Amino acid sequence: MNINDYKRVTDRLTPDERCRKEVLDMSKSENKIKMNTNEYTESVSGVEVRSSHGIMKYVSIAAACALIVGGIGTTGVLLHKGSKNAQQFAEVLEEETTAEAVTEITEEPTEPRVEYDYAAIANELTQHYIDSLNVMKYGDVSYDSSESITFYTYDSTNEEWSNNYGGERTFYKVTDERFKSCQDIYEYYKVPFVSSMPDNFKDAADVEYESSLQSWLGRDVSKFENGSRVDIRPNGKDTCDDEAFSINIGIYVEYNGNLYVSKRTVESETAPYYANGKHSFLISMTSEPQILETDEESFKASCFVKLPYTGMENAKYGEEKLITFNLIDGEWKISSIETGDRPEYTSAVAIQNYIEQRAEYNDINIGYDSEGKAGRGIGHIMDKLEVTEYDPSIHVCKVHVVLHNMNGEDALDMTAEISVNHNGNPVVMSADITRIKDYDSSYERPNAVSSN
């Protein structure tokens, strides 16, 4: 601390008489030194040794004054710590020191916002969701067809039901190392979600974003003997037996500690999403997730998936999934899934309605069989439909399709612009239609004849 610091501090105090006297004496001594030094400078000519002793005396006095000043700033405070002025001096000194220290501290920069690869997160979690659905709904697991169990289901209270919906049920032993039980499949499904689902799959009638869990994950059916007939309503009960019902409709059942997958699911030719005894396809993404909006702890993405049912085999888009993701305890999870546009399906519905309402197209097959029944329905149009352009911002697509008449001949070439907004009704906005095969009333749809 230099003399200027001392003066700056003492100016804020009211010194006592002793301190005032010390300061006054120091000031007088300092002035005297300056005055004598000036005199020495004027008479120094021709005098060396004697005069040198004089100057050293005054230098010593000046040094002593400096020590006294320093003493007042340090030791003097300690000697007079009981006095009010000494306490004031210490407090002011502390304030000055603290203020100077504060001004030297630089403000720490705020932590930058964490940047996430939203597209990669959306892709990973969505793919897991799709994979788990393929496992749970469509039996996408490895299995050994040489190890199987078979039962024959019926309803003792309803013969007609037994004839139409009962019968042989065969299951193959699952060899997929990931899954030893239905609970394992359930746990795999839950991984990407903000889960409010029950811990045990048996307590979950439905799962988030999907329904009919009981139709997929069956019960332990070890109480039934392999090869036996199984009554789904034993003793005429009003409700079905859970285990028997699992055998009749389940994709998976457990038997003697092993997991089995339904033969009807993995090989049946009657299932609409299989062809020639094999999977025609499973759920798959037809587009990478597109990020719609982001926030610090949530974001929303859109992607299109192709679903395994008739008419989707050639789909370019399929069905849009609008997925919301949330950051939960430092980990991203799916919080909701909604269905968006379905360009091919909605276009087929719009075309079916458009053709059906115009008598000049009564010979065109729009999904009915020869008896006027629904037949393959929308799938008949979707098989032939091609989306040539799709604008998601306005929910409009352009399509091209060649339709058959009821005799199975190419009869109509149609290009149309269609509104496919999932929040509205499907509408053909404009259409350009060319006849390939002339109208023939002998090929009219039976439902069109009855309508006329």
Side-chain angles (χ1 to χ4, degrees):
M1 180 174 179
N2 56 37
I3 191 66
N4 291 329
D5 292 333
Y6 171 79
K7 290 178 179 179
R8 176 164 51 86
V9 175
T10 54
D11 285 344
R12 299 170 58 183
L13 301 176
T14 305
D16 57 20
E17 289 301 323
R18 182 175 180 179
C19 287
R20 185 182 294 108
K21 184 176 184 299
E22 289 174 352
V23 174
L24 181 60
D25 291 342
M26 284 190 294
S27 298
K28 289 180 179 180
S29 298
E30 184 178 354
N31 292 334
K32 184 175 181 180
I33 291 172
K34 291 180 180 179
M35 179 183 65
N36 292 336
T37 302
N38 291 336
E39 292 175 355
Y40 166 77
T41 302
E42 294 174 357
S43 59
V44 72
S45 179
V47 181
E48 295 181 5
V49 178
R50 182 184 300 176
S51 298
S52 65
H53 289 299
I55 189 61
M56 289 304 297
K57 176 181 178 181
Y58 297 123
V59 170
S60 298
I61 295 173
C65 289
L67 288 175
I68 294 173
V69 172
I72 294 175
T74 55
T75 308
V77 172
L78 295 175
L79 294 175
H80 299 87
K81 63 180 180 179
S83 69
K84 179 178 179 180
N85 291 327
Q87 183 178 355
Q88 286 182 334
F89 183 88
E91 290 174 356
V92 173
L93 182 60
E94 183 178 359
E95 289 178 8
E96 294 285 346
T97 305
T98 303
E100 291 176 1
V102 169
T103 57
E104 294 176 0
I105 298 175
T106 57
E107 184 178 354
E108 293 185 2
T110 57
E111 292 186 7
R113 176 180 172 180
V114 178
E115 294 296 332
Y116 294 100
D117 188 344
Y118 296 110
I121 295 168
N123 186 71
E124 179 182 353
L125 295 181
T126 302
Q127 190 61 62
H128 187 108
Y129 165 64
I130 290 173
D131 291 344
S132 68
L133 282 183
N134 285 332
V135 169
M136 190 159 59
K137 294 178 67 173
Y138 307 117
D140 188 26
V141 293
S142 58
Y143 58 89
D144 184 355
S145 59
S146 66
E147 292 191 47
S148 63
I149 53 176
T150 300
F151 305 95
Y152 300 87
T153 61
Y154 70 99
D155 184 348
S156 58
T157 66
N158 191 329
E159 183 178 356
E160 182 179 359
W161 184 95
S162 299
N163 294 333
N164 292 330
Y165 305 108
E168 182 180 289
R169 300 290 185 267
T170 296
F171 298 85
Y172 295 141
K173 184 179 178 181
V174 173
T175 58
D176 196 315
E177 291 299 324
R178 296 173 298 172
F179 311 113
K180 304 297 183 183
S181 65
C182 290
Q183 183 67 28
D184 288 346
I185 296 175
Y186 180 65
E187 294 294 339
Y188 182 68
Y189 173 82
K190 293 197 302 179
V191 167
F193 294 108
V194 176
S195 181
S196 59
M197 292 179 275
D199 293 334
N200 194 303
F201 80 97
K202 295 179 182 179
D203 298 325
D206 297 331
V207 293
E208 293 182 62
Y209 325 117
E210 299 293 336
S211 59
S212 303
L213 177 66
Q214 208 170 27
S215 300
W216 309 328
L217 304 181
R219 301 296 191 262
D220 188 327
V221 297
S222 301
K223 70 179 184 180
F224 302 109
E225 185 178 350
N226 184 17
S228 65
R229 287 172 54 83
V230 175
D231 187 358
I232 67 167
R233 295 179 189 269
N235 303 318
K237 291 181 179 179
D238 293 335
T239 58
C240 291
D241 180 84
D242 284 344
E243 289 78 10
F245 188 69
S246 295
I247 289 175
N248 191 65
I249 68 168
I251 293 177
Y252 296 93
V253 294
E254 297 172 23
Y255 190 74
N256 291 339
N258 293 309
L259 182 66
Y260 289 79
V261 61
S262 171
K263 175 183 177 180
R264 292 193 305 168
T265 300
V266 296
E267 290 188 0
S268 175
E269 295 182 8
T270 61
Y273 37 83
Y274 295 101
N276 302 320
K278 299 293 182 183
H279 284 280
S280 58
F281 62 92
L282 299 168
I283 304 175
S284 60
M285 283 196 291
T286 60
S287 71
E288 295 294 323
Q290 301 297 313
I291 307 304
L292 303 179
E293 55 189 59
T294 64
D295 200 351
E296 289 188 9
E297 296 187 351
S298 68
F299 70 95
K300 193 171 185 177
S302 163
C303 71
F304 281 87
V305 300
K306 188 159 57 175
L307 302 175
Y309 60 76
T310 302
M312 277 288 186
E313 286 87 348
N314 302 317
K316 181 179 180 180
Y317 293 95
E319 181 174 283
E320 183 183 26
K321 295 296 183 182
L322 301 170
I323 309 175
T324 301
F325 302 84
N326 283 90
L327 188 62
I328 308 295
D329 297 329
E331 188 174 8
W332 286 102
K333 295 285 188 179
I334 295 174
S335 59
S336 69
I337 300 177
E338 303 172 60
T339 298
D341 291 349
R342 295 184 287 178
E344 288 87 2
Y345 177 82
T346 306
S347 294
V349 171
I351 290 172
Q352 185 184 60
N353 294 337
Y354 185 88
I355 297 298
E356 194 168 31
Q357 293 171 8
R358 288 162 174 77
E360 65 267 34
Y361 304 127
N362 281 349
D363 63 325
I364 302 302
N365 188 342
I366 51 176
Y368 297 98
D369 60 20
S370 59
E371 298 179 357
K373 296 181 180 179
R376 293 189 63 227
I378 296 300
H380 179 79
I381 300 176
M382 290 176 65
D383 284 345
K384 307 168 180 61
L385 182 74
E386 178 190 6
V387 175
T388 59
E389 188 177 333
Y390 168 63
D391 188 341
S393 65
I394 58 175
H395 309 282
V396 171
C397 66
K398 294 181 180 179
V399 303
H400 175 256
V401 63
V402 175
L403 298 177
H404 292 167
N405 60 18
M406 292 301 292
N407 196 38
E409 302 168 311
D410 289 350
L412 207 69
D413 187 295
M414 180 177 184
T415 300
E417 189 173 59
I418 301 174
S419 172
V420 294
N421 193 331
H422 60 280
N423 291 320
N425 294 322
V427 176
V428 174
M429 302 169 65
S430 64
D432 182 9
I433 300 176
T434 302
R435 271 281 182 178
I436 301 173
K437 186 76 174 178
D438 291 339
Y439 180 86
D440 188 339
S441 60
S442 63
Y443 295 139
E444 285 187 348
R445 297 185 307 273
N447 71 313
V449 174
S450 61
S451 175
N452 291 337

